Amino acid sequence: MSDDQHITAPLRLFNSLTRTIEPFAPIEDGHARIYSCGPTVYNYAHLGNLRAYVFTDTLRRTLLWKGLSVTHIINITDVGHLTSDADAGDDKMEAAARASAQSIWDIAAHYTQAFKQNIADLNILSPSEWTVATDYVPQMIEFAQKIAPTHCYELDSGLYFDSSSVPAYGALAGGRDDAAHARIDPVAGKRNASDFAIWRKSPPGEQRQMEWDSPWGKGAPGWHLECSVMSLARLGHPFDIHTGGIDHREIHHPNEIAQNQAYCGCTDAEPGFTGARWWMHNNFLVDRSGKMSKSKGGFTTLFSLIDAGVHPLAYRLLCLGAHYRSELEFSAEGVAAALTRLKRLVMGVEGLKARAEGVTWQSPRLDYLRANLHPKLVPLLEQFDAAIADDLMTPRALPLLEEAIAIKKIPVDEKLCLIAAFDAALGLNLMTLGRADLRLQPKDAVITPDAIEAELERRAAARADKDFALSDEIRDALIAQGVDVMDGDPLRWDWRLTLAQGS
Ligand code: AMP
Ligand code: ZN
């Protein structure tokens, strides 16, 4: 058995602030604090949005694997996110409410619930707390009042942050990106293209569904303000890691950082102060037409994948198969391959469990594993640890899981112990999923799994009687109903429902 040093690879994470991989140490011993920008709940999350939360969950599980406790906040943006990334255009929530003739609060409640369902379906650990933007408006006003005299100016349309009032504005984005800001609809009177709204006044004579009184008149908070305020309120500044999709590295997070610097007033004393030590970003999920986005419409949701008969954890596995900082292309073929890979994993673990009756392998602890693991499994544990500690290299960790399932001449309980530990980091729910759970019935299927099984039994009987005409007839009837009969399938899956095109 190797000593601990070999098994415990130091955790290293990519920090977007420095664009380098750095050794990670939490501010507070043994405890990490993470804030993840949450969804804007004017529509269903698309699969790209969900990639962002598979990434944060992998980060959180890796910190847990490393023995840290984690406080994780995800916010719900139910006000303030405009249809453009800046200060012109509609509030996305108000626009959705108008389009559907529903109350904005009902819209927010509906899509928040749908998002939480997605999180549960993907086996993403619930955050320690969901913070809802509209619950924090008084704190946002207080925050804005504190920074307004030295960092803001007022226009007819609202209170604006002067981005030239903080040093090195936009450093996270790699410098002042005037081109990105120039693409944003201009607001008359703004001093710099990169200035942004802290408070948006309701236009005269217009009543918004969501508006609050403030020292600058009735209105609503700016989107960037929300995250500064909620992270400060729940985690304190500085906390350890702030996450989001890579689009946030360009505008939303630089604006948060500018506000955080202004609020703490410590930019001179501590020039590196940004509010969080690490800023981490996942790359995009793209499809053939480019970055998946809600505003483009026609996006693919997890619900549509489930309706097509794909188990949601196949999508999680698809995400883990790529490193979080690489673009990932979404396609029906890719998701079908991930589903097959998941089936193999589930089938392998199910086989081991069947042989290990009475053995408990749940909640394995790394210290127990280190002390007790079969010597042949130790290299796998070490390599797995090194992979996830290397900026969450899940594509390198997955084959090690597959190896642990396949490795021969090891007591089954030892293997299961290791697999359960790996799965605690990967979140594929392998210790409880069974093959039957993976068979989801597509929404438009005309035949139920029970009816398919009954037909396949009738067919097996026909073949046993050498009645091949009847056997073929049954198979053809199944094919006509969208059922692929897979004679001799190495996975012994026997049948599958044809995936809907484009799903
Ligand atoms: P939103 O609901 O638009 O505020 O986005 C929620 C999260 O999804 C944010 O962290 C975004 O940066 C992230 N995101 C948006 N589009 C994509 C995409 N196509 N791929 C990966 N992440 C995305
Ligand atoms: Zn945010």
Side-chain angles (χ1 to χ4, degrees), residues 451-461 474 478 485 494-495:
I452 297 170
E453 298 286 355
E455 281 305 279
L456 286 178
E457 263 176 43
R458 215 158 66 79
R459 181 164 173 260
I474 295 168
L478 284 170
V485 178
D494 307 330
W495 59 269

Side-chain angles (χ1 to χ4, degrees), residues 358-434:
V359 174
T360 44
W361 57 81
Q362 305 288 2
S363 315
R365 296 190 26 215
L366 276 187
D367 49 0
Y368 169 83
L369 277 183
R370 283 191 199 113
N372 298 287
L373 200 59
H374 191 287
K376 267 184 89 176
L377 293 178
V378 172
L380 285 181
L381 176 63
E382 286 180 348
Q383 288 168 41
F384 186 93
D385 180 55
I388 59 169
D390 181 10
D391 195 28
L392 320 177
M393 273 296 169
T394 51
R396 240 167 59 207
L398 284 172
L400 299 165
L401 168 66
E402 282 154 341
E403 237 181 275
I405 294 172
I407 196 165
K408 299 274 186 287
K409 297 196 181 125
I410 306 282
V412 76
D413 52 329
E414 302 247 2
K415 284 175 57 155
L416 282 167
C417 219
L418 186 66
I419 292 163
F422 285 0
D423 194 47
L426 297 171
L428 292 168
N429 207 12
L430 293 178
M431 306 319 286
T432 42
L433 267 189

